[in-house]
């Protein structure tokens, strides 16, 4: 047999019978993709190699998984699959003609790979050429395609089906993030009328009905009109659609969605949301600068609007020339459409050595022992993402010598500028009603979701999420009897309230608010923004102050009474994550954000918040559970709305918060929070609460009432909740049995029994471990309780995530990290040295413990 060169055009061709004979042994392993098969022809399962990469991409003709050149041998050894379709995209530089223009030099005009066109290439200077060939392992025999006449019919059909298969990330649901927006056919040739229309920065209203919401700017004539039940489901009178029917002007942008990173564009002609690659130019036609207009010599902008110091400019360090950073640890991540929250969190996570060691340090072992479909394995995808960010393989600076060599060879080797976490996001958000959507999400909620997945998928003997875990001691006191109860719970984030009443510039704020209202009433440009300045010490003080316990039931009085609660640290974590509670709810139940500046310290000492336990002279509340009250109306819902609001302010769906509080028997936001963590991935997580009728069998309801499960086993819902707090399953069952399935008392029992007796049935434990999805959360936890890494309470700031926008439902996230002695800004694909890190405007802060 001859090697690959014999099969290429220009060389001797094998006879059709010879090709058929060559493929006969492998025919049983070659499959034709069906409608339900996922075909990964654009990205390697273990790396971010693609057909654009130097080695191209190998797609298995049996599993349809894609592999880069470094990983194809692993798949061959593990599965024995021999036939792969090799895909490669070449970038060719056009040859200048005699007149100075470029002449096409395309050998094959067909582009059959569904790949993005690199934005850093000028299409007038370069062209693309796609190449496909069959490769047979282990000898690497190559058969160039198309070769229809000589290949067996099954092989030809399989190759054609694979090449025409849709992306595995596309879904049928219209609200799915995987259904990517396509560029509008009108974007490039859009005609814009030179009618002198200029759009102000605020005060918009529909020109036909004075409606002030759901407004759309027509990109042809500048008309501002209301929408009607399209794109985002908002209501209106449909004047934007009527205008299109009258004029035929096809594209409109939604006012209020324009940011430096893009805007929501709708095509009336194509009847769907679209991308407008030229949106900046189209908006500039009407006086709108997406990147915020620069100040002119007279101190005013081009349209005479006074400049405002917006958080978009400050957080993204606009107006400052930032130096790009390249190499290991300086790799950007593509925004997949409102996925900046994921990008920011993952950049921070993989700046932590424990996560680097767990996933990147164990990468060979994780990859070698990955399942047959590594795209559906959490640890594999974490290792892949970590290696992509830390290896430097996808963050290389352009070299002058390389550019000269590429010009001489008339071939362009594209520089890998960042990675696209498409496969990671598809897996980690699978089944989650929020993260699988195309909507913006709360970075704090995603952080907790990620930690939950890390806990459930242990890698090695040490779980990297241990560095965030700490114990909170809660002291609850009955105001009438003065008796107290001490409980402990597991947490991962310190939530700091914003002490608005402690603002140091109250006079300026009052004056600004008056001017703002006057400007809105007169429809004048708004005054320069004044942001509330809040001392950090005031927020820390608000965290440590007692808070009222709503609907408190005193076991000392056997009745409801007034109660107060204070929280302290029973342990200090290795890494302290601090969330500033900037988000609250408006009267319309829409999350709003407090636009404040807080002087976050570089060095933080919270040693004074160390828990002290029961003090001399304090008397504990009796260990008596409140009576179960059967409602007169069996379907009536008794839900503690204050606990619901506390959870909703964290960013969780409102209906999920109501279910959490209901199914945990109104025991408080902390217990309900753990219920949320344990149920986040359920399909009906955010569905409305439907309470079962009294006496009806329902697992969640039974858990809330403390019902006994079959075979005298505690309800599975309650067991799962305790496991999600960081305890072993057998310990959770033992505690619930000892307290008659009272969840709050079971937690007290766990902390008061450091060495519980081993009384569980080993066979039953084995069955429970197999049947419970959370059984592996803390497989190596000792009976003393959850794993913690206690130490001194002194910390140093090394990173923070900032949010721009008015609520968690919109806006943009950016991450700043301190690396090698300087601050670096991670703004999706853009990674640059930070000149003015806005530490006072952050949303989530990351501190590392200072060694004693």
């Amino acid at each position: 047999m001859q090697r690959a060169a014999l099969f290429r055009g220009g060389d001797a061709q094998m006879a059709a019978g010879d090709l058929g004979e060559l493929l006969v042994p492998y025919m049983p392993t070659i499959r034709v993709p069906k409608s339900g098969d996922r075909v990964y022809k654009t990205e390697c399962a273990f790396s971010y190699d693609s057909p654009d990469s130097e080695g191209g991409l190998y797609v298995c003709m049996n599993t349809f998984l894609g592999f880069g050149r470094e990983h194809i041998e692993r798949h061959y050894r593990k599965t024995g699959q021999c036939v792969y379709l090799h895909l490669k995209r070449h970038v060719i530089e056009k040859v200048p003609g005699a007149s100075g223009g470029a002449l096409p030099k395309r050998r094959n005009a067909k582009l059959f790979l569904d790949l993005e066109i690199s934005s850093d290439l000028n299409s007038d200077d370069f062209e693309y050429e796609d190449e496909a060939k069959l490769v047979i392992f282990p000898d690497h025999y190559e058969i160039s395609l198309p070769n229809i006449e000589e290949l067996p019919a099954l092989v030809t059909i399989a190759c054609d089906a694979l090449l025409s298969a849709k992306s595995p990330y596309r879904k049928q649901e219209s609200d799915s993030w995987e259904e990517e927006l396509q560029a509008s056919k009108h974007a490039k040739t859009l005609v814009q009328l030179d009618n002198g229309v200029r759009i102000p920065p605020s005060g918009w209203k529909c020109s036909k009905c004075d409606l002030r919401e759901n407004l759309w700017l027509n990109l042809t004539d500048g008309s501002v009109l209301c929408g009607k039940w399209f794109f985002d489901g908002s209501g209106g009178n449909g004047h934007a659609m009527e205008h299109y029917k009258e004029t035929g002007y096809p594209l409109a942008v939604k006012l209020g969605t324009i940011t430096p990173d893009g805007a929501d564009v709708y095509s009336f002609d194509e009847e769907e949301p679209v991308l407008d690659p030229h949106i900046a130019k189209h908006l500039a036609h009407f006086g709108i600068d997406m990147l915020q207009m620069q100040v002119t010599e007279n101190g005013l902008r081009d349209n005479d609007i006074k400049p405002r110091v917006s958080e978009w400019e400050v957080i993204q360090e606009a107006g400052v020339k930032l130096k790009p950073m390249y190499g290991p640890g300086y790799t950007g991540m593509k925004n997949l459409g409102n996925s900046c929250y994921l990008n920011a969190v993952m950049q921070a996570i993989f700046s932590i050595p424990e996560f680097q060691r767990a996933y990147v340090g164990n990468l060979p072992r994780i990859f070698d022992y990955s399942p047959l479909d590594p795209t559906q394995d959490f640890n594999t995808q974490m290792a892949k993402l970590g290696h992509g960010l830390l290896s430097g393989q996808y963050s290389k600076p352009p070299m002058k010598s390389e550019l000269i060599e590429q010009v001489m060879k008339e071939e362009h080797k594209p520089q890998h500028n960042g990675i696209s976490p498409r496969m990671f996001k598809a897996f980690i958000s699978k089944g989650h009603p929020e993260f699988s959507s195309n909507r913006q999400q709360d970075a704090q909620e995603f952080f907790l979701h990620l930690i939950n997945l890390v806990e459930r998928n242990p890698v090695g003997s040490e779980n990297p999420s241990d560095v965030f875990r700490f114990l909170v001691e809660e002291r609850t006191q009955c105001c009438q009897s003065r008796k107290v109860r001490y409980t402990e719970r597991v947490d991962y984030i310190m939530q700091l309230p914003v002490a608005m009443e402690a603002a140091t510039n109250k006079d300026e704020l009052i004056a600004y608010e008056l001017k703002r209202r006057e400007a809105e009433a007169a429809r004048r440009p708004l005054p320069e923004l004044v942001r509330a300045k809040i001392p950090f010490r005031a927020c820390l003080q608000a965290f440590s102050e007692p808070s009222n316990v709503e609907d408190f039931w005193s076991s000392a009085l056997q009745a409801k009474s007034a109660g107060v609660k204070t929280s302290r640290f029973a342990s200090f974590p290795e890494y302290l994550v601090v969330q500033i509670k900037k988000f609250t709810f408006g009267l319309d139940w829409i999350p709003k954000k407090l636009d404040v500046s807080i002087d976050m310290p570089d060095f933080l000492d919270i040693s004074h918040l160390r828990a002290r336990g029961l003090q001399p002279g304090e008397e504990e509340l009796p260990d008596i559970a409140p009576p179960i009250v059967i409602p007169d109306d069996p379907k009536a819902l008794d839900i503690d709305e204050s606990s619901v609001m506390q959870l909703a302010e964290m960013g969780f769906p409102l209906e999920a918060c109501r279910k959490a509080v209901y199914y945990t028997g109104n025991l408080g936001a902390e217990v309900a929070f753990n219920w949320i963590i344990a149920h986040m991935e359920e399909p009906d997580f955010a569905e409305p609460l439907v309470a079962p009728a009294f006496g009806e069998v329902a697992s969640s309801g039974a858990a809330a009432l403390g019902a006994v499960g079959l075979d005298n086993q505690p309800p599975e819902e309650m067991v799962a909740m305790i496991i999600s707090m960081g305890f072993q399953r057998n310990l959770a069952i033992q505690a619930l049995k000892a307290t008659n399935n009272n969840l709050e008392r079971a937690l007290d029992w766990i902390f008061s029994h450091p060495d519980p007796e081993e009384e569980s049935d080993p066979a039953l434990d084995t069955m429970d471990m197999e049947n419970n999805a959370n059984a592996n959360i803390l497989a190596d936890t000792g009976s003393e309780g959850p794993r913690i890494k206690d130490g001194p309470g002194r910390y140093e700031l090394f990173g923070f995530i900032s949010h721009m926008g008015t609520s968690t439902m919109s806006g943009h996230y950016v991450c700043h990290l301190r690396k090698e002695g300087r601050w670096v800004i991670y703004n999706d694909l853009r990674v640059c040295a930070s000149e003015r890190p806005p530490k006072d405007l952050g949303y989530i802060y990351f501190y590392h413990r200072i060694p004693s």
Side-chain angles (χ1 to χ4, degrees), residues 594-738:
L594 302 174
D595 191 1
V596 296
S597 170
I598 301 177
D599 57 337
M600 296 297 293
D602 288 323
F603 296 94
L604 174 62
D605 189 347
I606 55 172
S607 301
H608 63 286
L609 295 178
R610 169 76 75 172
R612 296 180 297 172
L614 187 68
Q615 296 298 296
E618 288 184 334
E619 185 178 353
E620 289 190 271
L621 285 164
D623 188 12
I624 302 174
I628 298 175
V629 179
I630 300 176
D632 297 331
D633 181 2
K635 295 186 178 180
L637 297 181
D638 180 20
I639 298 178
D640 180 7
E641 293 297 336
S642 63
S643 295
V644 173
M645 293 303 296
Q646 288 183 54
L647 296 170
E649 287 179 358
M650 299 179 190
F652 298 113
L654 183 62
E655 288 298 334
C657 300
R658 290 172 58 81
K659 289 165 71 174
V661 173
Y662 176 77
Y663 286 141
T664 54
N666 291 316
L667 293 179
E670 291 78 10
V671 177
F673 170 80
N674 290 306
W675 185 95
I676 286 178
I677 295 301
H679 294 77
M680 287 178 69
E681 295 189 353
E682 294 180 359
D684 60 348
F685 174 69
E687 295 297 321
L689 170 64
V690 178
F694 182 70
E696 180 182 340
V697 177
S699 59
S700 297
L705 296 173
V708 179
L710 297 177
D711 300 326
N712 202 31
Q713 285 296 106
E716 192 59 40
E717 291 282 338
M718 302 184 79
V719 175
M721 274 190 284
I722 295 179
I723 291 176
S724 71
M725 300 176 197
F727 301 101
Q728 277 189 320
R729 179 175 176 80
N730 62 343
L731 185 63
I733 293 175
Q734 195 171 345
L736 288 168
K737 285 183 176 180

